[in-house]
Amino acid sequence: KKKTVSFSTMPNDRKINSTAACISFMLEGCELKKVRSNSRMYSRFFVLDADMRSVRWEPSKKDSEKAKIEIKSVKEVRVGKKTPVLRSNGLSDQFPDECAFSIIYGDNYESLDLVASSADVVSAWVMGLRYLVSYGKHTPEAPGTGHPSLRTSWISSVFDLADLEKSGRIPVSRAVQLIKALNPGMKTSTIELKFKELQKASERPGAEVACDLFVEAYCELCTRPEIFFLLVQFSSNKEYLGLKDLLMFLEVEQGMEGVTEEKCLEIVGKYEPSKEGREKGYLAIDGFTRYLLSADCSIFDPQHRKVCQDMAQPLSHYYISSAHSACLLEDNFWGRSDISGYISALGLGCRSIELVLWDGPEGEPVVYTSPSAASCVPFRAVVGLIDQHAFAASAYPLILCLVVRCSAPQQRLAAQCLRKMLGEKLYLEPPNPTASYLPSPEQLKGRILIKGKKLPPGCEDSEGEVSDEEEGWELARRLGQEDQEVPEGGGPRRVRLSRELSELVSLCQAIPFQDFESSRRGQRYWEMCSFSEVEAGRFANECPAELVSYNKRFLSRVYPSPMRIDASNMNPQDFWKCGCQMVAMNYQTPGLMMDLNAGWFRQNGACGYVLRPAIMREEVSYFSANAKDSLPGVPAQLLHLKVISGQNLPKPKGSGAKGEVVEPYVCAEIHGIPADCAEHRTKTALQSGDNPVFDESLEFQINLPELAVLRFVVLDDDYIGDEFIAQYTIPFECLQPGYRHVPLQSLAGEPLPHATLFVHVAITDRRGGGKGHRRGLAGRRGRRVREYTSTKTTGIKAIDEVFRTATQPLREATDLRENVQNALVSFKELCGLTPAANMKQCILTVAAWLLHSDSTPSVTLNLAEQYPPMEAQGPIPDLLRKVLTAYETMIQTSRTLIESADAVYGKLIQAQQAGMDFHKELHRIETKEGLRGRKLQKALESFAWNITVLKGQADLLKHAKAEALDNLWQIHNAGQSCGIGRNGSASPEPSRLRAPLEPIPE
């Protein structure tokens, strides 16, 4: 890949870490590009007047009094391409979003659109301007004067406590340890260097430092500009967040619901270091930074830290965390078998472990993956360990996959050992012949299932012959240990199996796979097949729909190719996308594949079971695992990811020759169905030390969110080869929106202390979000929408007539949703917000414009009505008129959706249920119609497609109605809190609007 770098004009030693620093920077002035409405850009020198009342620029054709903007006339300062001029096609690719900002000013809401050389410069101007706008009614004090701030007082009090001699000075070594204690992760050498710099600058060298120097060192070292910038955005006084400011931040940016001032006070009490701040309910920069770094603000949704999925579905409806060679600590050939491998796998929530039984030298069976392993583990010891650790990390069933390579006498000993040591945990009840599916994980809690071969029903002897599994023999053959003969004429290898071991197998009876048609007609739900990686890969590529359908009823296990003698791992996503439940991984081998596996199974309380997407579980559904585009009935979502900065990044392992310099970049990868797989990278942060700033926005379209995984990888940009620094892998469904820290991990998946990435996450087409831009693909998008909302002919007249009745409701459902989405995007754009913004942000933005106006508010929201109109009081500027028109369109389309949705939904469900009535009779009708071969396959696919489309579109409509009701609630809530609402007593009940949706039955 082509490597790119970013150059910042902000001097390296110039750290914007306070409002005063921003204003000082503006007073000095800098060059910015001024963008005109004709999309041309001109370089101009911009400077803040000494009296801090105006911003001027030169050269200009206007006289000096006109080439300026008065601070008191500024309505809003926007970051990014948030005006029609900056969004125009001629400019959109010429500069990154984070280098643009706009000043909205004057009674006509004109915009001055500017482009800076770097995001740092933008931050300085935006922060300073927002501060001045807030204090525009009276002249602010000169930066750095006045009484000590909340922060300075607190740092001074910390210094006083450390000043044991009360001399007003403390040793440098003590000062260094103090700052290190307040900021874990910061290098001692960095702190020492800062003290030397400040001592030299103030001409006060020596082994001790005074309080003022300590305060200065702390502020320069421990202020993260990107977090300070965020605080200034939401703060009423630009120094700290009050309870109302914090509440606004949590609701608007972090997407939290039901936040109260009591909850905010609790956060302040927990994270604000200063006593005064805790007493007054203020969260200053240090407390705010601590909060953003805390587990309470993690990128991982805390709901997923415990079991949160329905665990009452059949076992075949879950992905099951599975280990291949758990006992091996190294590669498959020369690895040493060690009992701790099992403890590690079980501790990580693994719920399927493979045990290969061989004849042991002492007359008792042993476990190892190949006879060449340096040592072997007695089977009895392994079972004892499993008995001890089986349910330490998860209460849900553990499956022991027995591959038998030992003689019948030793098999009997193995069976006795299992019965004696596992006792009641062993599941021995015979399968229920009247059931159609396996029991659920909930029903099997605390039980251990044995997966293995079973003697045929007619066999009465103490042992008998069964077909063998291929797994395990390849290694034996390579090492010259194979003593089983292949039957003449080919066919499956036969082995002797003892009755005692056969009787332990109940719900997971291993059988050889023949073909999908034979399985559909004759396989029983308690029988399961194992596939080699190569065989499963062939099915996944050649007949993915049949493999998905097979996995709806039956368990399947995929094991690594015997060619992987280095114990490398296959990509589990290749098989998860086809519904394969058990993809056996070499837990002892770290890397991308193991990251995906570990990250994926974190999402349901790390219990080892993850419910598969509904589209893979429903009896009648259309799903193509190799889809290259959107899926019928599944709403595509856009992930807007901004990678802001990194903290305390370690050096790559073994990179001592490079010295202290790390030049990192971040790669964001999406893993999922082929349509979703994508990768974007940031620019390289040059000479950035341990805390690089990236400030880069990335975007991904996710077509099947339930199967998508996001992986962050931090790499060191090197001419020879980019070196791995850290990674973190998280299922898409576990992402929390807003400003979050990503806890980075090593290649082996171990946490790296204090190493994080600071990011902003927004997901559109979720509750509170809008739809992304069309990205200029109107033609393609139109075709995709038509395909989404139409049914396919099956060739069976009676069935086609039923589905034809849904043509009109499908079109109506699409129109209702699209009209609201388009109106929402237009309204948000006019408010200067992104499609990811929520309705509350829009109303608050409009209110902020009005409050910064010298005249009284000229627009009000009539909250007495269910669909509150936004009414103008007297003449209003053109921009506000456009905002009101867009708001009215949004309200009217929402009203039409809310009032029409139930009727259209009813028609879609009626057509779907009428179609499902044919399902049981489908094979009889096919025979009657004479359908066979490709025509039959096409008819079945079209039927499944139609059922999926109808259910999916009905679901989408139901969710769109709930989202529209939620927007109304947000309008009422924001109108009351910001002062532009009137007659607010009729605010709808949030509980009524936000009632949970009943899913459509599978």
Side-chain angles (χ1 to χ4, degrees):
K1 289 193 177 64
K2 186 181 175 186
K3 292 179 183 175
T4 53
V5 295
S6 59
F7 297 93
S8 170
T9 58
M10 186 70 75
N12 281 338
D13 59 347
R14 180 74 174 264
K15 194 165 184 183
I16 300 294
N17 57 13
S18 68
T19 316
C22 294
I23 293 173
S24 296
F25 179 76
M26 291 162 66
L27 287 165
E28 290 171 25
C30 74
E31 195 173 277
L32 300 170
K33 286 192 171 83
K34 185 169 177 270
V35 186
R36 288 200 180 159
S37 54
N38 61 6
S39 295
R40 288 186 180 174
M41 294 197 282
Y42 302 88
S43 286
R44 297 287 183 261
F45 188 82
F46 282 77
V47 66
L48 176 67
D49 271 356
D51 64 3
M52 293 185 276
R53 293 178 187 274
S54 304
V55 172
R56 298 179 182 273
W57 60 92
E58 57 184 36
S60 173
K61 290 176 183 175
K62 300 175 182 175
D63 64 60
S64 60
E65 282 307 301
K66 288 189 176 175
K68 71 171 187 177
I69 291 175
E70 291 189 352
I71 297 295
K72 68 179 183 182
S73 72
V74 175
K75 309 289 184 194
E76 185 192 0
V77 186
R78 298 179 184 175
V79 185
K81 302 170 191 173
K82 303 281 178 56
T83 63
V85 170
L86 290 176
R87 269 198 291 258
S88 65
N89 291 331
L91 287 171
S92 56
D93 298 327
Q94 290 187 29
F95 49 86
D97 192 68
E98 48 275 2
C99 286
F101 70 105
S102 304
I103 303 171
I104 312 297
Y105 67 98
D107 291 338
N108 291 321
Y109 292 79
E110 296 168 68
S111 74
L112 174 63
D113 299 301
L114 302 167
V115 177
S117 55
S118 74
D120 292 338
V121 176
V122 172
S123 296
W125 276 95
V126 172
M127 212 185 296
L129 283 168
R130 285 177 175 166
Y131 177 86
L132 293 170
V133 168
S134 296
Y135 290 99
K137 298 286 187 288
H138 53 82
T139 308
E141 296 171 359
T145 65
H147 65 276
S149 69
L150 196 69
R151 186 187 201 195
T152 308
S153 303
W154 166 66
I155 302 166
S156 301
S157 70
V158 170
F159 179 90
D160 291 341
L161 285 172
D163 181 10
L164 304 173
E165 297 80 18
K166 303 302 172 197
S167 62
R169 303 175 71 80
I170 62 172
V172 172
S173 58
R174 195 183 302 165
V176 169
Q177 289 308 311
L178 204 51
I179 289 182
K180 199 168 167 61
L182 292 169
N183 257 278
M186 190 172 283
K187 286 181 180 171
T188 304
S189 57
T190 307
I191 306 169
E192 287 171 345
L193 188 64
K194 178 56 67 180
F195 277 120
K196 281 179 186 171
E197 281 176 15
L198 294 175
Q199 284 180 322
K200 187 178 178 184
S202 63
E203 298 179 352
R204 288 188 285 173
E208 293 187 322
V209 292
C211 183
D212 61 329
L213 203 121
F214 178 79
V215 170
E216 190 178 350
Y218 179 88
C219 289
E220 288 198 22
L221 287 166
C222 304
T223 307
R224 284 174 49 190
E226 69 275 29
I227 292 183
F228 185 73
F229 183 45
L230 191 58
L231 180 136
V232 168
Q233 250 181 292
F234 283 89
S235 169
S236 308
N237 75 345
K238 310 302 169 199
E239 291 296 333
Y240 53 77
L241 295 173
L243 294 181
K244 282 191 166 60
D245 300 331
L246 181 56
L247 190 143
M248 192 66 68
F249 170 74
L250 296 175
E251 281 194 343
V252 167
E253 273 303 341
Q254 305 298 86
M256 287 172 67
E257 294 179 359
V259 188
T260 60
E261 286 199 11
E262 288 72 27
K263 173 66 180 170
C264 294
L265 198 57
E266 191 182 307
I267 290 171
V268 171
K270 190 172 179 183
Y271 297 106
E272 174 53 39
S274 72
K275 187 182 177 187
E276 185 188 350
R278 291 195 298 273
E279 287 171 353
K280 293 183 177 177
Y282 298 156
L283 194 64
I285 181 67
D286 298 288
F288 190 42
T289 305
R290 286 181 183 188
Y291 171 63
L292 287 173
L293 278 164
S294 72
D296 288 346
C297 214
S298 166
I299 191 170
F300 192 93
D301 188 339
Q303 288 186 353
H304 290 269
R305 293 193 190 283
K306 53 185 185 295
V307 175
C308 56
Q309 296 177 346
D310 176 9
M311 300 303 286
Q313 299 275 337
L315 209 60
S316 58
H317 285 185
Y318 298 84
Y319 296 112
I320 303 170
S321 181
S322 306
H324 181 229
S325 307
C327 69
L328 288 187
L329 295 187
E330 294 164 21
D331 63 51
N332 278 342
F333 253 115
W334 314 114
R336 52 194 177 84
S337 293
D338 186 292
I339 212 155
S340 65
Y342 289 109
I343 300 173
S344 172
L346 290 169
L348 291 169
C350 177
R351 296 288 85 195
S352 168
I353 283 181
E354 176 196 46
L355 300 176
V356 186
L357 274 64
W358 298 83
D359 278 334
E362 306 293 325
E364 284 197 22
V366 292
V367 171
Y368 44 18
T369 310
S370 75
S372 77
S375 61
C376 56
V377 183
F379 180 66
R380 185 179 298 278
V382 175
V383 176
L385 181 139
I386 289 170
D387 178 48
Q388 191 179 343
H389 295 275
F391 304 105
S394 170
Y396 292 99
L398 174 67
I399 301 170
L400 298 184
C401 302
L402 296 188
V403 180
V404 180
R405 296 279 173 265
C406 60
S407 60
Q410 293 208 9
Q411 287 176 32
R412 291 188 192 100
L413 289 175
Q416 289 164 18
C417 173
L418 285 166
R419 279 184 185 271
K420 183 180 176 184
M421 298 186 80
L422 300 180
E424 291 295 310
K425 293 175 188 168
L426 210 54
Y427 186 89
L428 301 172
E429 296 163 32
N432 178 0
T434 61
S436 302
Y437 286 93
L438 287 162
S440 70
E442 191 62 43
Q443 290 171 304
L444 296 170
K445 249 184 174 177
R447 306 303 291 273
I448 295 174
L449 311 181
I450 304 294
K451 178 242 171 194
K453 291 287 179 179
K454 206 163 172 64
L455 291 173
C459 178
E460 299 294 332
D461 299 333
S462 61
E463 59 185 69
E465 272 200 351
V466 292
S467 62
D468 189 19
E469 297 187 63
E470 280 300 306
E471 193 173 0
W473 277 120
E474 181 67 24
L475 285 175
R477 190 158 47 239
R478 284 167 175 247
L479 294 163
Q481 298 285 337
E482 183 181 18
D483 59 357
Q484 299 285 327
E485 292 181 10
V486 179
E488 288 183 27
R493 197 188 315 266
R494 310 291 291 177
V495 292
R496 302 292 294 174
L497 180 69
S498 76
R499 172 164 298 284
E500 287 90 334
L501 206 55
S502 168
E503 285 173 350
L504 298 183
V505 178
S506 169
L507 294 178
C508 297
Q509 183 182 338
I511 60 165
F513 179 77
Q514 293 175 317
D515 56 66
F516 290 114
E517 184 56 33
S518 302
S519 295
R520 189 166 75 87
R521 295 188 184 281
Q523 189 170 336
R524 294 167 296 188
Y525 72 84
W526 61 83
E527 295 173 330
M528 66 176 286
C529 300
S530 289
F531 302 92
S532 77
E533 172 189 350
V534 175
E535 187 182 19
R538 183 165 53 81
F539 291 145
N541 289 322
E542 294 174 7
C543 42
E546 287 175 275
L547 187 52
V548 169
S549 182
Y550 172 86
N551 285 321
K552 286 178 184 177
R553 277 194 68 204
F554 309 116
L555 283 176
S556 64
R557 180 173 178 272
V558 181
Y559 57 88
S561 161
M563 303 304 289
R564 293 184 183 275
I565 56 173
D566 60 348
S568 60
N569 274 307
M570 51 192 164
N571 186 342
Q573 283 276 5
D574 291 343
F575 308 105
W576 289 340
K577 71 181 183 184
C578 294
C580 297
Q581 298 89 347
M582 299 159 71
V583 181
M585 304 293 285
N586 287 309
Y587 269 59
Q588 72 273 25
T589 310
L592 165 62
M593 306 313 174
M594 204 54 217
D595 291 345
L596 293 177
N597 191 76
W600 179 251
F601 283 105
R602 236 180 249 136
Q603 67 182 290
N604 191 26
C607 74
Y609 285 82
V610 169
L611 189 63
R612 296 186 308 166
I615 202 167
M616 289 186 178
R617 305 191 312 262
E618 289 152 358
E619 193 176 353
V620 181
S621 64
Y622 177 88
F623 173 68
S624 172
N626 295 328
K628 296 286 191 293
D629 212 328
S630 300
L631 301 167
V634 180
Q637 298 190 343
L638 282 172
L639 169 63
H640 310 265
L641 184 67
K642 186 171 186 179
V643 182
I644 302 168
S645 60
Q647 292 73 46
N648 306 312
L649 298 183
K651 283 167 59 180
K653 277 193 175 178
S655 64
K658 284 187 66 175
E660 292 296 311
V661 180
V662 176
E663 297 186 336
Y665 65 92
V666 178
C667 220
E669 308 164 349
I670 293 287
H671 299 265
I673 60 170
D676 292 343
C677 291
E679 177 185 308
H680 296 311
R681 57 157 288 178
T682 67
K683 293 187 277 289
T684 299
L686 294 175
Q687 303 288 325
S688 60
D690 310 325
N691 303 297
V693 173
F694 303 103
D695 236 330
E696 201 153 340
S697 299
L698 314 171
E699 190 177 280
F700 299 89
Q701 177 162 317
I702 315 291
N703 294 289
L704 185 57
E706 290 173 280
L707 209 57
V709 175
L710 170 64
R711 182 173 184 254
F712 295 94
V713 192
V714 187
L715 296 158
D716 184 17
D717 202 337
D718 197 310
Y719 292 109
I720 301 165
D722 296 348
E723 293 182 272
F724 176 90
I725 295 174
Q727 64 82 26
Y728 182 73
T729 309
I730 179 171
F732 181 81
E733 295 284 287
C734 298
L735 285 172
Q736 287 215 96
Y739 289 93
R740 307 286 174 183
H741 280 92
V742 178
L744 294 172
Q745 298 177 340
S746 69
L747 191 63
E750 292 153 356
L752 294 169
H754 313 298
T756 55
L757 285 179
F758 187 44
V759 300
H760 182 265
V761 176
I763 299 164
T764 57
D765 282 355
R766 267 193 170 174
R767 192 147 72 96
K771 203 159 208 168
H773 294 292
R774 296 192 179 195
R775 293 186 275 180
L777 302 177
R780 177 168 171 248
R781 191 171 176 276
R783 284 198 298 276
R784 210 172 75 195
V785 168
R786 281 197 294 277
E787 186 178 284
Y788 238 83
T789 54
S790 62
T791 54
K792 294 182 177 181
T793 55
T794 61
I796 302 167
K797 189 178 177 185
I799 294 176
D800 286 340
E801 281 177 5
V802 165
F803 287 132
R804 209 170 287 124
T805 63
T807 305
Q808 188 58 31
L810 279 171
R811 194 171 291 123
E812 287 174 21
T814 303
D815 287 343
L816 288 170
R817 288 189 299 105
E818 290 291 317
N819 290 346
V820 172
Q821 290 289 6
N822 292 339
L824 277 168
V825 170
S826 299
F827 179 54
K828 288 172 184 179
E829 282 186 355
L830 282 165
C831 290
L833 297 168
T834 65
N838 61 32
M839 188 52 59
K840 190 165 187 176
Q841 280 171 287
C842 297
I843 302 300
L844 294 174
T845 300
V846 175
W849 294 349
L850 299 169
L851 295 173
H852 286 141
S853 174
D854 288 334
S855 56
T856 53
S858 51
V859 171
T860 57
L861 270 172
N862 185 357
L863 301 180
E865 297 189 30
Q866 187 187 352
Y867 302 95
M870 200 180 270
E871 298 160 344
Q873 313 295 316
I876 57 171
D878 185 48
L879 177 67
L880 264 184
R881 175 75 56 200
K882 286 180 181 174
V883 168
L884 260 63
T885 305
Y887 174 85
E888 182 61 26
T889 306
M890 186 266 299
I891 283 289
Q892 289 309 321
T893 53
S894 298
R895 180 174 189 162
T896 307
L897 167 67
I898 290 164
E899 292 176 354
S900 311
D902 289 350
V904 177
Y905 174 85
K907 289 176 189 172
L908 291 173
I909 290 303
Q910 191 178 350
Q912 189 231 5
Q913 287 171 347
M916 284 300 290
D917 289 343
F918 282 105
H919 180 241
K920 287 178 183 172
E921 299 292 309
L922 209 52
H923 288 291
R924 185 185 61 77
I925 297 169
E926 288 159 7
T927 309
K928 185 183 170 186
E929 296 278 336
L931 294 175
R932 59 176 63 87
R934 181 73 196 120
K935 280 188 176 178
L936 173 61
Q937 187 62 31
K938 194 165 184 296
L940 291 170
E941 270 186 23
S942 296
F943 182 82
W945 167 280
N946 294 344
I947 293 294
T948 306
V949 162
L950 290 171
K951 180 184 182 301
Q953 291 295 315
D955 266 342
L956 288 177
L957 188 60
K958 196 166 190 173
H959 284 282
K961 179 185 173 182
E963 197 169 295
L965 287 168
D966 185 65
N967 282 338
L968 288 181
W969 181 84
Q970 288 188 45
I971 290 168
H972 275 90
N973 188 297
Q976 286 175 329
S977 66
C978 70
I980 65 166
R982 59 185 177 85
N983 308 323
S985 57
S987 174
E989 279 294 312
S991 56
R992 183 177 64 81
L993 292 183
R994 298 185 176 202
L997 296 170
E998 287 298 318
I1000 299 167
E1002 291 177 12

